[in-house]
Amino acid sequence: NKGAATLYEISLLKHAPVASRQAAFAFATLLIYLAFSKDRFISRMFLFTLLPAEYLLLLWTNYTLPEFLVKRFFSGTRAVRTLLIGPAESAENVRPWLERKERFGFNTVGILSDDPLAELGTRFRFLGKLADIEKVIAQQKVTQVIVLNFLLTPGHHRALIEKVEALGVRVLIPSNEQELLQRKVTFLDDDGMRFIGLHEEPLENPLNIGLKRLVDVCVALPVIVFVLPCLCALVWLLHRLQSPGPLFHRQTRAGLQNREFTIIKFRTMHEGNAEIERQATQNDERIFPAGKWLRRLGFDEFPQFLNVLRGEMSVVGPRPHLTKHNEQFARVMAGYHLRAFVKPGITGLAQVRGFHGEAHTVEDIQARLQSDMVYLENWSTPLDVAIILRTAWQILFPLKNAPAALAATREAGPIPVRLAETQPAIIGK
């Protein structure tokens, strides 16, 4: 199963779901037994303390027992003696994994390769050419062979694999789709078909979609009933004093799968503004004084909870932009439209990291797109709740700018997005 722990993985996070399923199954079995036996002597307190205790015990045993068993049965004469076959570059790709498995009895004896630079290009012991495989397996007492770059030369390696298996040696072939495509991949099984995907998409799961919609409704309804009417009265009064005109500003934005919808916001600009496609700047003359205050606190976004209730937006997601701006950003950043895989949101990971407002540079767009892609591939209900709470905190204590967040993003790792081949000279001006 996807995400399940293997015998050789020592990770509480990986074993937690397994322990949860085991505890639920054991507890359900106990309840069924009690129902059929009509045993009334077991107290409810015992039952409710049994479940967490059982879960913790299973988690501990799943975490500690595999390592004990592996060391007990796969050490000494039972150690897995592994031979690598293939180019030195590919061998270096699996070296960190092999080093981590040494504690479990994985001993790498060396590498066979017809690559003329293999002897100099790897830290593994070079044992000869592919033609020497039978002799090397016998001399080194090899029990496992890892064939590297199999997909690049399947015909060449097929006869080799048959020869290895004839000697009673296990064959492993690393999945090198990531190496071929030069990007991370994910595997999908559906009705007997196996596919390679380029992105993890938790929100393609119907259950996750339902959970997210439940959170949206639970947040949007109280805001619309209790908060929005008071804000409407306040903004209406500010309009009457500084900029008479309609209470709401409606604008066409790009939503899920870039389908257009009408977003609703409190009007913060003077009526009759003809430059609707120009991004707002810090000292924009189109914004009336109280409008700047509304934008700074994020109060102008509250009518979008109506969009959430209508199903056009989510509370959390990538911010929706004008279609024209999306086209401009897409010309700068390849894969920019991937953020449209999920519904746009009132707030998002990019916003709580400080990436909001006018985009001045390519780096600004990179940072926002990275945050949106991290959200898309790692969505969870706790992540949504955390973003909502951080947004509420930032309404009280607004972020001044994004440089600190950008620095933190750089420290976290390279931005997994790439520039487009053609770029406009001006971005969103």
Side-chain angles (χ1 to χ4, degrees):
N1 292 333
K2 181 180 175 181
T6 68
L7 179 65
Y8 301 107
E9 283 189 286
I10 306 301
S11 168
L12 279 175
L13 289 177
K14 287 288 188 181
H15 287 292
V18 178
S20 299
R21 291 193 294 270
Q22 292 171 336
F25 178 79
F27 193 70
T29 303
L30 176 61
L31 292 179
I32 293 172
Y33 168 77
L34 293 176
F36 278 97
S37 64
K38 298 181 181 181
D39 188 339
R40 299 182 180 180
F41 294 100
I42 297 180
S43 68
R44 294 181 180 179
M45 180 63 68
F46 171 77
L47 288 176
F48 283 109
T49 54
L50 175 65
L51 182 59
E54 183 180 41
Y55 169 75
L56 291 175
L57 178 62
L58 288 169
L59 182 62
W60 181 78
T61 54
N62 287 340
Y63 179 69
T64 59
L65 191 59
E67 184 174 10
F68 169 78
L69 292 176
V70 169
K71 289 182 177 180
R72 173 69 178 80
F73 293 107
F74 295 96
S75 60
T77 57
R78 296 187 181 93
V80 179
R81 296 181 60 78
T82 302
L83 173 68
L84 304 179
I85 296 177
E89 182 180 356
S90 298
E92 288 301 304
N93 291 336
V94 301
R95 183 176 56 81
W97 177 80
L98 288 168
E99 289 177 348
R100 291 194 299 271
K101 301 308 171 185
E102 285 181 358
R103 61 189 292 198
F104 302 119
F106 272 53
N107 298 329
T108 306
V109 299
I111 182 172
L112 291 179
S113 179
D114 288 335
D115 181 359
L117 300 177
E119 190 169 1
L120 301 176
T122 178
R123 280 177 265 187
F124 293 108
R125 181 184 174 193
F126 181 73
L127 297 175
K129 304 291 185 180
L130 297 186
D132 304 322
I133 186 167
E134 292 178 293
K135 179 181 67 175
V136 170
I137 288 176
Q139 289 177 346
Q140 300 294 331
K141 299 180 180 178
V142 172
T143 59
Q144 177 173 277
V145 166
I146 296 180
V147 181
L148 308 167
N149 277 14
F150 177 75
L151 292 181
L152 295 181
T153 54
H156 178 72
H157 284 96
R158 193 167 293 117
L160 180 69
I161 290 173
E162 292 176 357
K163 184 183 297 185
V164 171
E165 288 192 327
L167 296 173
V169 175
R170 180 187 297 109
V171 177
L172 295 181
I173 303 172
S175 175
N176 64 338
E177 289 85 358
Q178 293 189 167
E179 185 179 344
L180 293 173
L181 297 172
Q182 294 295 303
R183 61 189 303 166
K184 185 180 71 173
V185 300
T186 180
F187 296 96
L188 309 171
D189 288 303
D190 185 36
D191 196 21
M193 291 291 292
R194 188 167 175 82
F195 299 92
I196 296 174
L198 301 182
H199 300 279
E200 295 280 357
E201 295 184 62
L203 284 173
E204 282 297 291
N205 185 315
L207 177 61
N208 291 341
I209 294 174
L211 287 173
K212 185 168 178 62
R213 181 60 181 162
L214 180 63
V215 171
D216 287 343
V217 173
C218 289
V219 174
L221 270 178
V223 172
I224 291 171
V225 173
F226 300 109
V227 179
L228 193 58
C230 300
L231 281 178
C232 285
L234 173 62
V235 175
W236 180 86
L237 179 60
L238 294 174
H239 282 173
R240 300 286 75 76
L241 294 174
Q242 296 186 358
S243 180
L247 178 64
F248 296 114
H249 170 65
R250 291 176 171 83
Q251 194 176 58
T252 301
R253 297 286 180 98
L256 180 66
Q257 300 296 344
N258 281 323
R259 292 192 292 267
E260 293 185 341
F261 72 101
T262 301
I263 197 172
I264 308 171
K265 303 178 69 174
F266 283 128
R267 183 174 57 85
T268 58
M269 294 185 179
H270 294 293
E271 190 181 6
N273 168 42
E275 299 177 287
I276 60 172
E277 293 185 349
R278 178 161 67 92
Q279 289 193 61
T281 56
Q282 187 172 5
N283 298 309
D284 201 313
E285 71 284 354
R286 299 170 297 170
I287 304 175
F288 60 87
K292 295 179 182 179
W293 177 77
L294 292 173
R295 296 172 75 95
R296 186 175 299 114
L297 294 177
F299 286 175
D300 62 320
E301 311 285 0
F302 272 79
Q304 291 168 41
F305 283 101
L306 295 170
N307 292 112
V308 173
L309 204 59
R310 283 154 51 172
E312 299 164 330
M313 293 180 62
S314 179
V315 175
V316 181
R319 283 296 296 157
H321 299 144
L322 290 168
T323 301
K324 181 178 179 180
H325 290 168
N326 270 357
E327 292 171 354
Q328 287 180 313
F329 295 151
R331 290 200 299 271
V332 177
M333 200 63 55
Y336 184 82
H337 286 306
L338 295 176
R339 62 199 296 276
F341 283 2
V342 295
K343 281 184 184 179
I346 297 175
T347 185
L349 186 59
Q351 282 63 48
V352 297
R353 284 178 168 180
F355 306 126
H356 51 76
E358 186 180 12
H360 293 281
T361 66
V362 172
E363 195 174 46
D364 289 340
I365 304 174
Q366 276 187 311
R368 296 180 196 200
L369 179 56
Q370 182 207 29
S371 296
D372 291 339
M373 294 305 297
V374 168
Y375 177 78
L376 183 152
E377 296 186 348
N378 298 276
W379 174 88
S380 67
T381 299
L383 177 60
D384 269 3
V385 172
I387 291 173
I388 292 170
L389 293 177
R390 284 183 64 180
T391 301
W393 175 263
Q394 289 175 9
I395 289 176
L396 300 175
F397 304 97
L399 292 175
K400 293 183 179 179
N401 47 41
L406 184 57
T409 302
R410 286 172 180 158
E411 290 176 4
I415 295 175
V417 293
R418 56 191 176 88
L419 299 178
E421 293 180 1
T422 59
Q423 302 172 28
I426 301 175
I427 306 166
K429 293 291 186 180

